[in-house]
């Protein structure tokens, strides 16, 4: 109403009928009045370039009357699972076979990250078939992710085949555990990331390196994902290498983040992922027996 300067909430009133209302208690002038421009003035920035467009920001943009925003498109991704020994999950296993956990792990995580155009295929160790699978995936995507075949064995064919297909090597092998034989190559606008075959190595490289690549694809700052916490016990380590330890995360009543290393840290083991909240970076030069050891970590997807 014209001239009104205060709002009285309904629960602080009693309806007396005949259009009369009793105010039950005192209310300060200006209470609950929403003033024009009190949150943001005209021309104020609601967010900065490189901000992730999550649900809360989408709502704020609508309220601010912003009808359209310029966003980076997500890359098309194709996953190629390699290895004669890898079979579809649920298949009765013969001697020497393993179920394909890497394909479902990668696809589910990538989609959880909001990437919709993700496809997956599986191919054996036949060089011609592998070359066709990688070449076909590269023709359909900006990012190709392979699993297996990137180490130094007789059937580790991904690096030489990729280079025969015109990919230029960016890097091969990282001083880390698990997931050391990481292979990255580029052909035109397509990036190929070759992950090792062990499932925990896939999990680590997915969260540590592939997530960083995806952030760069869409203009996000990957450094913002890093957090810090106090390790509650001696973490696993790898001589001369960075160890990525799977840990659970808790916050005590004083707000201190505590990281608890989980058992079963082998590169072929996945059972601790149900409890893992974080991948913790353990550098080789650290004094791991020092009380209150503070370590960097990144959250993992469930």
């Amino acid at each position: 109403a014209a001239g009104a300067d205060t709002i009285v909430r309904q629960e602080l009133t009693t309806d007396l009928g005949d259009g009369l209302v009793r105010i039950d208690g005192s209310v300060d002038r200006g209470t609950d009045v929403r003033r024009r421009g009190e949150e943001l003035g005209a021309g104020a920035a609601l967010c900065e370039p490189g901000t992730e467009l999550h649900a809360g920001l989408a709502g704020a943009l609508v309220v601010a009357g912003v009808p359209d925003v310029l966003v980076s498109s997500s890359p098309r991704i194709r996953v190629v699972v390699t290895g004669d020994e890898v079979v579809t999950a649920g298949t009765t296993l013969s001697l020497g076979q393993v179920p394909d956990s890497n394909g479902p792990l990668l696809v589910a995580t990538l989609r959880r990250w909001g990437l919709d155009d993700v496809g997956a295929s599986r191919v054996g160790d036949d060089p011609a078939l592998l070359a066709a699978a990688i070449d076909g995936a590269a023709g359909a995507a900006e990012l190709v992710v392979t699993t297996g075949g990137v180490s130094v064995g007789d059937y580790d064919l991904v690096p030489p085949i990729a280079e025969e297909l015109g990919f230029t090597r960016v890097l091969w092998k990282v001083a880390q555990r698990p997931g050391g034989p990481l292979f990255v190559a580029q052909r035109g606008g397509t990036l190929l990331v070759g992950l090792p075959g062990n499932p925990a190595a896939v999990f680590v490289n997915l969260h540590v390196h592939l997530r960083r690549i995806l952030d760069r694809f869409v203009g996000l700052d990957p450094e913002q994902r890093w957090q810090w916490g106090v390790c509650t016990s001696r973490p696993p380590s790898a001589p001369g290498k960075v160890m990525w330890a799977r840990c659970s995360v808790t916050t005590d009543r004083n707000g201190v983040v505590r990281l608890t290393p989980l058992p079963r840290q082998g590169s072929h083991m996945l059972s601790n992922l149900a409890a893992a909240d974080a991948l913790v970076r353990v550098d080789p030069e650290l004094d791991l027996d020092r009380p209150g050891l503070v370590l960097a970590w990144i959250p993992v997807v469930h």
Side-chain angles (χ1 to χ4, degrees):
D5 60 9
T6 303
I7 302 295
V8 179
R9 300 184 186 187
Q10 183 175 351
E11 57 266 31
L12 301 178
T13 66
T14 300
D15 187 351
L16 302 178
D18 296 327
L20 298 177
V21 174
R22 184 180 71 224
I23 298 174
D24 300 318
S26 61
V27 179
D28 293 335
R29 176 177 292 177
T31 297
D32 288 333
V33 173
R34 305 293 185 255
R35 301 189 181 279
R36 182 181 299 172
E38 68 177 0
E39 183 176 7
L40 293 172
L46 188 58
C47 63
E48 298 297 326
T51 303
E52 186 173 359
L53 183 57
H54 50 68
L57 178 55
L61 290 167
V62 171
V63 169
V66 179
D68 301 291
V69 291
L70 182 64
V71 298
S72 299
S73 60
S74 299
R76 298 171 296 166
I77 303 174
R78 296 296 178 267
V79 175
V80 180
V81 177
T82 77
D84 288 341
E85 76 282 9
V86 181
V87 297
T88 303
T91 302
T92 300
L93 300 179
S94 300
L95 183 63
Q97 291 183 327
V98 294
D100 174 23
S101 60
N102 291 335
L105 170 64
L106 283 164
V107 171
T109 303
L110 292 168
R111 288 180 177 165
R112 183 68 182 270
W113 286 342
L115 298 151
D116 297 323
D117 194 346
V118 180
S121 60
R122 195 175 64 255
V123 63
D125 293 319
D126 180 278
L129 295 178
L130 181 56
I134 293 175
D135 197 37
E142 289 79 39
L143 179 61
V144 177
V145 182
T146 65
T147 67
V150 293
S151 192
V152 293
D154 293 340
Y155 294 100
D156 289 304
L157 303 172
V158 170
I161 285 177
E163 290 175 347
E164 289 174 7
L165 292 171
F167 281 88
T168 300
R169 181 184 302 184
V170 176
L171 65 88
W172 184 32
K173 300 179 183 178
V174 179
Q176 66 175 38
R177 184 178 295 170
L182 176 69
F183 176 73
V184 180
Q186 186 171 10
R187 186 179 75 181
T190 298
L191 194 67
L192 185 149
V193 179
L195 307 180
N198 277 323
V202 169
F203 181 81
V204 165
N205 281 319
L206 170 62
H207 282 84
V208 175
H209 299 295
L210 195 55
R211 185 62 192 258
R212 187 179 187 89
I213 290 169
L214 290 167
D215 282 345
R216 293 297 189 190
F217 257 111
V218 298
L220 298 178
D221 180 6
E223 299 302 326
Q224 294 183 356
R225 301 194 184 278
W226 287 98
Q227 303 178 49
W228 296 88
V230 178
C231 210
T232 61
S233 61
R234 195 181 198 278
S237 60
K241 298 179 180 180
V242 170
M243 179 72 188
W244 294 102
R246 286 158 269 171
C247 295
S248 63
V249 180
T250 56
T251 304
D252 66 21
R253 69 176 110 188
N254 296 317
V256 177
V257 175
R258 302 197 178 275
L259 308 168
T260 301
L262 297 169
R264 301 181 296 277
Q265 294 277 345
S267 63
H268 59 297
M269 298 177 177
L270 287 182
S271 59
N272 59 17
L273 293 191
D277 303 307
L279 283 174
V280 176
R281 178 177 175 132
V282 184
D283 290 310
E285 68 275 9
L286 291 174
D287 177 6
L288 302 183
D289 295 313
R290 186 174 77 247
L293 182 65
V294 176
L295 296 174
W297 63 281
I298 52 175
V300 303
V301 168
H302 289 296

